[in-house]
């Protein structure tokens, strides 16, 4: 049996600790931004939706990946904001 060689990780990218994605849905963008950064994550792509009922503009309506997901530190979390 020749077992397959382990897949090398990207050079210069040590496997850092995993961080848990916080729940930023319902927060204003500025607060969501600082919450993500406090968890060693980065705000990713921002898109806008006209849903959200009576929420104020720039409230986070959705996020990807979902809260509780384990990511590498400095990963990006995409957000959908109320227009």
């Amino acid at each position: 049996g020749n077992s397959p060689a382990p897949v090398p990780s990207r050079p210069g990218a040590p496997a850092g600790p995993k961080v848990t994605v916080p729940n930023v849905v319902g927060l204003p963008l500025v607060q969501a931004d600082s919450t993500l950064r406090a968890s060693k994550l980065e705000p990713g792509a921002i898109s806008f939706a006209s849903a959200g009922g009576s929420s104020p503009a720039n409230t986070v309506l959705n996020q990807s990946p979902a809260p509780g997901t384990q990511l590498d530190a400095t990963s990006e979390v995409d957000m959908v904001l109320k227009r």
Side-chain angles (χ1 to χ4, degrees):
N2 38 351
S3 53
V7 179
S9 56
R10 289 173 302 167
K18 297 282 190 184
V19 295
T20 303
V21 178
N23 183 6
V24 297
V25 173
L27 297 180
L29 176 60
V30 284
Q31 201 174 330
D33 187 280
S34 56
T35 300
L36 291 174
R37 292 182 192 282
S39 299
K40 299 189 168 38
L41 296 168
E42 300 284 330
I46 302 285
S47 50
F48 290 89
S50 46
S54 58
S55 310
N58 290 334
T59 300
V60 180
L61 300 177
N62 206 342
Q63 67 181 81
S64 175
T69 305
Q70 298 282 307
L71 293 180
D72 294 317
T74 73
S75 296
E76 292 187 348
V77 176
D78 298 340
M79 292 176 280
V80 178
L81 301 184
K82 168 92 188 277
R83 189 181 295 287

